[in-house]
Amino acid sequence: MSTENAANYSSYLKIDELLSLQEPLSNEHDELLFIVIHQSYELWFKEMIHEFKAAQKSLEAGDTHRSLAILGRIRTILKICVSQVDILETMTPLQFNSFRDRLGASSGFQSAQFREVEALLGRRDSRAASHLLPEDRARVESHMKERSIWDSVLRYVAHRGFNIPDELLNRDVSQHYAPDSRVQRSLIELHRKDPEAALVCERLVDIDEGLQEWRYRHVKMVERTRSEEHTSELQSR
């Protein structure tokens, strides 16, 4: 077997291409860190989308053990996303503002992949994608027309023998899910009678908490930056 075309570490991971993608717009030392962190986020969002889709398949197939493994992986990825804020916070607001004006109106809220994650989790709000480029908006809106991870969970719960009304299993998934007391009763029964399925539900709660923690850390970091920027402006007057 010829090894001439065999992949090595560099060619398989396309290291040269990867390392050429960081192009700071200023000569400020800290801009590279900012770019690397946010490009890393986009890679993790890509992986989360990949994992959520796999989780949906395993949930709808009633595969508890694979579902637990995938959902656990997603929760760990979210922990990494949170910990990356710690790295970003080693850059002071003053250091960030030294190149912020080069970024124009760009913002993390323009991340199409994060909007995809939200859609996979059940967000059904077309306004969330209204600011995106047409091809990105189409991708997000496509997810909004498909079953969310919660819709897959309902199928999983039904697969375990608990009552989920047909009108919910076959609902219009392009619409936001409305809480239903019948589902709540079935979930309570599931926690009492089916420990394995209860673990799946707990993994989903872990993911919800992880996402909230990431949002909170990100918001507080932005508030800190703006607060210190405002203080600096007052001191310079």
Side-chain angles (χ1 to χ4, degrees), residues 11-198:
S11 64
Y12 176 68
L13 296 177
K14 304 204 180 291
I15 298 299
D16 291 340
E17 294 93 326
L18 178 65
L19 298 182
S20 70
L21 298 177
Q22 295 75 48
E23 299 181 355
L25 299 178
S26 74
N27 293 321
E28 297 295 336
H29 172 79
D30 297 285
E31 189 177 358
L32 180 62
L33 172 65
F34 183 85
I35 292 172
V36 168
I37 290 289
H38 286 82
Q39 287 183 342
S40 298
Y41 274 134
E42 290 299 324
L43 290 172
W44 286 126
F45 293 158
K46 180 176 182 177
E47 181 63 22
M48 279 197 284
I49 292 167
H50 178 68
E51 298 296 345
F52 271 126
K53 289 180 177 179
Q56 286 189 274
K57 290 180 181 178
S58 64
L59 285 166
E60 293 183 17
D63 190 337
T64 298
H65 297 291
R66 179 161 172 75
S67 297
L68 284 171
I70 295 172
L71 295 173
R73 176 178 291 174
I74 294 170
R75 176 63 182 106
T76 302
I77 291 172
L78 283 168
K79 288 181 180 180
I80 294 296
C81 290
V82 171
S83 69
Q84 286 190 173
V85 177
D86 293 332
I87 304 172
L88 201 55
E89 285 183 339
T90 65
M91 179 173 59
T92 68
L94 183 62
Q95 291 168 329
F96 172 63
N97 287 321
S98 68
F99 61 84
R100 176 66 183 90
D101 61 326
R102 306 292 182 95
L103 307 181
S106 60
S107 164
F109 288 108
Q110 295 171 333
S111 170
Q113 287 200 119
F114 184 68
R115 296 306 184 194
E116 285 187 77
V117 170
E118 290 183 319
L120 283 165
L121 288 170
R123 184 173 186 180
R124 297 292 182 266
D125 182 358
S126 59
R127 293 173 299 178
S130 61
H131 62 286
L132 300 176
L133 295 172
E135 60 270 26
D136 293 332
R137 184 167 62 250
R139 201 167 62 246
V140 174
E141 290 175 346
S142 175
H143 286 304
M144 290 183 180
K145 297 174 184 176
E146 299 168 353
R147 285 196 292 270
S148 69
I149 192 77
W150 178 245
D151 290 302
S152 298
V153 169
L154 292 180
R155 279 169 165 68
Y156 171 77
V157 173
H159 192 279
R160 300 293 289 191
F162 297 93
N163 179 48
I164 302 295
D166 287 341
E167 65 263 31
L168 294 180
L169 293 175
N170 300 307
R171 74 184 190 88
D172 180 358
V173 295
S174 68
Q175 300 301 309
H176 186 74
Y177 174 81
D180 190 288
S181 59
R182 295 168 295 178
V183 173
Q184 294 172 346
R185 287 194 294 271
S186 290
L187 289 175
I188 291 172
E189 185 182 6
L190 178 148
H191 274 78
R192 289 173 175 167
K193 298 181 178 179
D194 192 338
E196 282 193 349

Side-chain angles (χ1 to χ4, degrees), residues 210-223:
L211 191 62
Q212 289 187 55
E213 184 180 7
W214 182 78
R215 283 181 178 276
Y216 174 80
R217 289 293 306 277
H218 191 266
V219 167
K220 298 307 291 184
M221 179 185 64
V222 172
E223 287 179 351

